[in-house]
Amino acid sequence: MRALLARWIPIQPGEGRWVLIAFVVYFLVMAGLMLGRNARDSLFLKNIGIAYLPYMYAANAVFVVWASFFFSTYMDRVERVRFVTYSYSAFIILLGVSRGLLELQVTWFYVVLYLVAQSIWILSVMVFWMFVGELFDTRQAKRLFPVVSLGGLLGMIGVGLFNRPLIRAVGTPNLFFAWMAALALALILIRTLGPQAASPEEVERRATRPRQAKSAWAQMREGWLYLRSTPLLRVMAGIVATLLLVGVMVDFQFNAVMTAAYPSQDALASFLGTFVGWAGFFSLLSQLFLIPFLIPRLGVGATILIHPGLLMGLTSLMSLILGYHTVLTAKLVDHVAFYTVQDSSYQLLYNPIPLDRRGRVRAFIEGYLKPLTIGVAGLLLLAVRFFEPSPALFSGLSVVLAAVGLGFSLQVKKSYVRALIDNLHGESPALRLAAANALARLKDPDSLKILEHTLRTGEPRVVAFAIEFIERFGLVEAQRLIVPLLEHPHPRVRATTVSALARMRSPDLAAQLPRLLDDANSRVRANAVLALADYLKVKPTTEPKPI
């Protein structure tokens, strides 16, 4: 039991206080925004109508991108705890003003409320993870972020448990007060960490960061150019875009069916809260019992196929039978898979991306690509409704988009291996070593095929490093790849090949040892002597040294 708990909660001495605060803060942030989102959706759908929801998807793109652009402009200019204080205080004030304006019962304000709530939702989560990302260094983050994420799932479950009685007690509009209270408590906890809360890694980064930071526009352009030039990132962007498009299509049909099924705004808000609770519960089970065993056994390339595969099947069913239960199932599966299986495997795809570029690319995808994709989905919904307002057509389009997402996902394995192999050419020894270790763990025969090109065309340093990696496969195919390198023009490559083949007990090496013992290079001859001694089971009195 203790070993299982240590696996689920891998907290080391000195980390407990910060992890606990981050856990509770994320619980509060997620619980508050789920309550607020339920209220926002219910008020909009009952007072404006489902017909106008696609306009909100499109408008959200502009609103959220602008807000992300504004935040990224100032977040590096202000000390982090102070920035969180300013941000969350502004969110609380905006929510308070919005709740007050609801008393006017002006129809157009529900549109404004939808946009404001959506921006606060996305930005409050973004600010939280930006802050937590500086509390822990890279190694701690890999261990502790899943623990912190559990706080968010428990927050969703808490909403499911208390949403209905809370609405009965105070009504749907007053859920915004609960959101404000949750943000206020989260802010108080964050401030208990002190103004200088940061990992040593982050302290060093701040000290070496240039005083004149790049503009938000320059950072966005840099992220776009790097994404466009990297095959793995292009595949990742394709997966994000297509699955988000499908998610919005499913969300629209879900909202349409549930708005018709629940007549009042309180009934709809209560149902949405219950739905969030069950989604959080299943996500928690998946995160605890499925993800830790699924990814190590299937690998990232296979695990990331699960979400688009499920969406293809469920949207196909929706195109045949569109009703309460099919839409509910599709939305629930999409929600759970997106935040567990998909997110866990997707985040691992960032590993081959160099650390100095990873943050910029992640910020581009999260802050610009995702909201713009949701905006495109809104325009697509409007176009489909204009030409053919058939629910079956929405589902059919979702099937096609899910198939495209599955196509992108099928490219993950090859692109991931290619990115790791490209890292073998990197200047950083740490980057090359990390790539070699990751490739060795994969033990994927496809990576051997991709590596053939490197062995034929790479510079000697890279080829020698690739040979050492291939040796770890321990396969006959691996030996076949490197035997021809015994005749490579560069002595370092020949010497490395002799040593690797000797350790792999290759019979092809034995046949060529007489020639290698007369090689012009002393290192090659020395390695050949050691190989011959190993074959003959003779231990040299002294290890041969190149002259």
Side-chain angles (χ1 to χ4, degrees):
M1 185 65 180
R2 183 176 298 177
L4 188 61
L5 285 174
R7 184 172 183 175
W8 283 343
I9 313 175
I11 300 173
Q12 295 181 1
E15 297 173 342
R17 177 171 174 262
W18 285 14
V19 173
L20 179 61
I21 289 176
F23 180 93
V24 176
V25 167
Y26 197 42
F27 172 91
L28 292 167
V29 168
M30 288 300 292
L33 72 85
M34 287 299 169
L35 287 170
R37 190 180 73 167
N38 294 343
R40 176 207 67 177
D41 289 348
S42 179
L43 291 169
F44 180 86
L45 292 170
K46 290 301 180 183
N47 291 280
I48 301 295
I50 187 68
Y52 294 92
L53 188 57
Y55 293 99
M56 293 299 95
Y57 293 142
N60 268 330
V62 177
F63 211 73
V64 172
V65 166
W66 176 83
S68 298
F69 192 85
F70 178 81
F71 266 64
S72 59
T73 300
Y74 292 99
M75 67 183 181
D76 280 336
R77 301 181 185 181
V78 182
E79 182 271 318
R80 192 60 72 229
V81 172
R82 188 175 300 155
F83 182 79
V84 176
T85 301
Y86 293 161
S87 301
Y88 278 25
S89 298
F91 298 156
I92 293 167
I93 292 170
L94 276 173
L95 289 172
V97 171
S98 298
R99 175 60 189 89
L101 291 174
L102 279 176
E103 291 299 316
L104 301 177
Q105 296 185 347
V106 180
T107 302
W108 61 263
F109 184 69
Y110 293 107
V111 174
V112 176
L113 178 65
Y114 192 99
L115 296 173
V116 169
Q118 182 75 10
S119 298
I120 292 175
W121 170 21
I122 292 175
L123 293 175
S124 62
V125 174
M126 184 179 78
V127 168
F128 168 79
W129 282 113
M130 175 191 67
F131 172 72
V132 172
E134 296 186 0
L135 283 181
F136 308 107
D137 61 33
T138 306
R139 290 184 178 181
Q140 288 176 309
K142 290 180 180 179
R143 278 189 296 106
L144 300 175
F145 277 14
V147 178
V148 176
S149 296
L150 293 179
L153 295 178
L154 289 176
M156 293 167 62
I157 295 171
V159 169
L161 292 173
F162 298 106
N163 182 74
R164 191 180 297 272
L166 188 60
I167 290 173
R168 287 174 182 166
V170 302
T172 298
N174 290 324
L175 292 180
F176 288 102
F177 287 129
W179 192 359
M180 293 166 60
L183 285 176
L185 287 172
L187 181 56
I188 291 170
L189 287 171
I190 288 172
R191 290 191 62 81
T192 62
L193 293 173
Q196 303 303 319
S199 67
E201 184 181 84
E202 174 59 22
V203 172
E204 182 180 352
R205 188 184 74 86
R206 290 177 187 174
T208 57
R209 185 168 58 203
R211 289 181 179 274
Q212 190 65 32
K214 292 182 180 178
S215 66
W217 173 256
Q219 292 179 40
M220 183 182 75
R221 184 174 181 276
E222 199 173 72
W224 159 247
L225 291 175
Y226 185 58
L227 183 148
R228 193 176 66 176
S229 66
T230 308
L232 175 60
L233 290 175
R234 291 201 300 269
V235 169
M236 291 170 65
I239 293 171
V240 167
T242 51
L243 295 187
L244 264 180
L245 287 171
V246 178
V248 172
M249 295 285 182
V250 171
D251 182 70
F252 177 75
Q253 292 175 292
F254 172 80
N255 281 309
V257 170
M258 298 310 158
T259 301
Y262 296 94
S264 70
Q265 66 183 26
D266 284 357
L268 180 58
S270 296
F271 162 77
L272 292 175
T274 303
F275 173 83
V276 165
W278 280 109
F281 175 72
F282 287 121
S283 297
L284 180 64
L285 290 181
S286 177
Q287 197 73 21
L288 290 177
F289 300 106
L290 185 62
I291 302 303
F293 305 100
L294 197 64
I295 294 178
R297 283 162 177 75
L298 297 182
V300 177
T303 305
I304 207 165
L305 298 174
I306 294 174
H307 187 203
L310 288 171
L311 283 180
M312 270 194 69
L314 289 167
T315 51
S316 298
L317 182 61
M318 285 170 58
S319 65
L320 299 173
I321 309 170
L322 184 65
Y324 184 95
H325 293 98
T326 53
V327 171
L328 177 64
T329 303
K331 178 64 177 175
L332 181 63
V333 170
D334 177 48
H335 184 104
V336 174
F338 185 84
Y339 287 106
T340 57
V341 175
Q342 183 69 20
D343 189 58
S344 297
S345 52
Y346 183 84
Q347 295 303 325
L348 290 173
L349 295 181
Y350 281 107
N351 287 347
I353 308 303
L355 194 60
D356 60 326
R357 297 181 176 181
R358 194 179 301 168
R360 279 169 278 173
V361 173
R362 195 192 298 269
F364 177 82
I365 290 176
E366 297 293 329
Y368 300 104
L369 179 63
K370 284 187 175 181
L372 287 174
T373 299
I374 295 173
V376 170
L379 296 177
L380 190 58
L381 281 168
L382 290 171
V384 172
R385 287 180 55 203
F386 179 78
F387 290 106
E388 180 58 56
S390 166
L393 185 60
F394 289 137
S395 301
L397 183 58
S398 299
V399 175
V400 173
L401 289 170
V404 175
L406 185 62
F408 277 115
S409 300
L410 287 169
Q411 299 178 47
V412 161
K413 192 174 185 180
K414 182 178 179 181
S415 300
Y416 186 78
V417 171
R418 166 59 68 187
L420 290 173
I421 290 173
D422 288 344
N423 286 350
L424 295 177
H425 298 252
E427 293 298 322
S428 167
L431 184 65
R432 295 198 302 270
L433 181 61
N437 289 334
L439 284 165
R441 285 194 298 271
L442 288 176
K443 292 197 173 182
D444 179 14
D446 290 341
S447 62
L448 290 177
K449 297 175 185 177
I450 298 172
L451 204 56
E452 280 189 87
H453 178 72
T454 300
L455 294 176
R456 289 197 304 268
T457 62
E459 60 180 89
R461 173 180 61 84
V462 175
V463 172
F465 202 81
I467 292 168
E468 294 174 1
F469 152 65
I470 287 176
E471 181 189 341
R472 303 183 189 191
F473 270 80
L475 302 174
V476 175
E477 293 178 64
Q479 296 181 29
R480 178 186 58 78
L481 278 181
I482 63 176
V483 165
L485 298 177
L486 292 170
E487 299 181 11
H488 195 278
H490 198 281
R492 179 180 177 182
V493 175
R494 295 198 303 276
T496 305
T497 305
V498 171
S499 296
L501 289 173
R503 288 188 291 268
M504 296 167 75
R505 309 296 295 175
S506 171
D508 296 302
L509 175 62
Q512 299 200 44
L513 276 177
R515 177 181 63 79
L516 294 166
L517 291 168
D518 291 329
D519 193 276
N521 181 265
S522 58
R523 181 70 266 175
V524 176
R525 294 197 302 271
N527 286 0
V529 169
L530 289 172
L532 179 62
D534 186 54
Y535 276 114
L536 297 175
K537 303 297 182 184
V538 175
K539 185 176 181 180
T541 54
T542 58
E543 182 176 341
K545 303 289 184 183
I547 299 173

